[in-house]
Amino acid sequence: MNLSSPIGIFDSGIGGLSVARAVREQLPGEDILYVADSLHAPYGDKSDSFIRERMHVITDFLLSQGARAVVVACNTATTAAIAQLRQTYSVPIIGVEPGVKPAVLATRSGVVGVMATPRTLQTHSFESLAARFSSKVRLLVQPCPNLVHQIEGLDFDSEATQALVREYVMPLLEEGADTIVLGCTHYNYLSALIARVAGPEISIISTEDAVAREVVRRLESSSRGESAAGSGRAAFYTSGDPAIFSKQLAHVWGPGEAVSSLR
Ligand code: DGL
């Protein structure tokens, strides 16, 4: 499908589709070009240099397809290397980072838990985000290995996924957290399960709507008031098996979308 000046959005897999959906809701007239780097998911156990290289390959592809803005719909990639991406390209590049700031505003107990990939929590950029708020709240970090694997397998509520969620959420509650940040876009698909495990008193913070608002703001300032460039279509690419991504897409986005290979 040929899109005119789409918004390019990418992630290691299906997590960024939750961001793409929020962008679609706030900008229904824009075309979206989505890339799932499924062959290399999860990013959470890759090195910074590998993730950086993939970000450049995918951004080059999105720009070759006419993208006028790029959304890095992945906390792991954003915290690893968004600064280098912005230095290289002149289009607006919007990233996703764990919603520590809204969590600090929401907490009553003063204890906030952040669930994220091990890689995100080890980055310098997450450490400086955490340091900015360390005088205001006690921030607990919870690396969640294997959770992305469950989500890529569309396993949102099996016994195994429930057990992992309990393993990651319970320590946060035991330490007094009343607010949990979903610091990985994949975890958005587990928000109902996480809320069930955590209980009704616990606030769950995700950032896809805030990211979509930022996309709106950046497009408004770069297009100087011109209206949407597209007609509300979406095209999907994967570096993995298109048949597998089609199934994932049908489950979390909707049926009937074509998927192409990213070579
Ligand atoms: N969705 C991603 C994030 O927000 C990436 C997860 C992964 O590939 O490990 O961190």
Side-chain angles (χ1 to χ4, degrees):
M1 190 190 295
N2 242 336
L3 304 178
S4 60
S5 308
I7 301 170
I9 305 179
F10 74 90
D11 179 33
S12 62
I14 63 172
L17 288 168
S18 60
V19 177
R21 178 163 312 279
V23 170
R24 161 55 30 94
E25 277 163 16
Q26 292 188 37
L27 291 165
E30 294 284 349
D31 290 345
I32 289 174
L33 177 54
Y34 187 88
V35 172
D37 197 10
S38 321
L39 187 63
H40 303 107
Y43 280 172
D45 55 19
K46 305 291 187 301
S47 68
D48 277 6
S49 61
F50 181 85
I51 296 169
R52 194 174 307 140
E53 190 194 316
R54 292 306 301 164
M55 290 169 80
H56 279 89
V57 168
I58 294 167
T59 303
D60 283 341
F61 170 74
L62 292 169
L63 297 184
S64 77
Q65 301 296 305
R68 64 193 178 113
V70 172
V71 182
V72 183
C74 173
N75 296 261
T76 309
T78 299
T79 51
I82 201 163
Q84 286 92 334
L85 213 61
R86 287 185 175 134
Q87 275 163 19
T88 313
Y89 301 98
S90 58
V91 296
I93 295 182
I94 297 103
V96 181
E97 62 178 16
V100 175
K101 191 174 171 188
V104 168
L105 296 172
T107 182
R108 298 163 313 267
S109 71
V111 185
V112 167
V114 182
M115 297 172 70
T117 67
R119 170 67 42 198
T120 293
L121 297 173
Q122 282 161 9
T123 57
H124 181 65
S125 92
F126 178 76
E127 276 171 14
S128 45
L129 174 69
R132 261 177 29 224
F133 295 99
S134 61
S135 63
K136 297 199 168 64
V137 294
R138 189 163 155 242
L139 207 61
L140 310 171
V141 296
Q142 179 61 62
C144 304
N146 301 325
L147 213 45
V148 167
H149 178 77
Q150 298 296 111
I151 297 159
E152 283 290 303
L154 301 178
D155 190 350
F156 300 165
D157 205 2
S158 68
E159 272 303 318
T161 304
Q162 289 178 27
L164 273 180
V165 165
R166 275 195 300 274
E167 181 186 332
Y168 298 143
V169 168
M170 295 317 285
L172 300 175
L173 304 183
E174 280 155 20
E175 291 288 319
D178 69 348
T179 305
I180 294 178
V181 176
L182 305 184
C184 168
T185 53
H186 278 78
Y187 304 168
N188 290 337
Y189 298 113
L190 299 185
S191 58
L193 172 59
I194 292 169
R196 205 166 78 224
V197 168
E201 301 299 312
I202 306 298
S203 306
I204 312 281
I205 306 282
S206 65
T207 54
E208 67 279 14
D209 291 333
V211 173
R213 282 195 298 277
E214 177 65 7
V215 174
V216 172
R217 204 182 62 74
R218 296 293 297 279
L219 287 184
E220 276 170 2
S221 63
S222 67
S223 68
R224 293 180 198 80
E226 281 167 39
S227 55
S231 49
R233 293 171 304 168
F236 300 91
Y237 285 79
T238 179
S239 60
D241 181 342
I244 295 175
F245 189 66
S246 291
K247 194 173 157 222
Q248 294 170 313
L249 193 61
H251 195 79
V252 302
W253 180 271
E257 301 283 1
V259 174
S260 308
S261 266
L262 179 74
R263 295 270 166 232

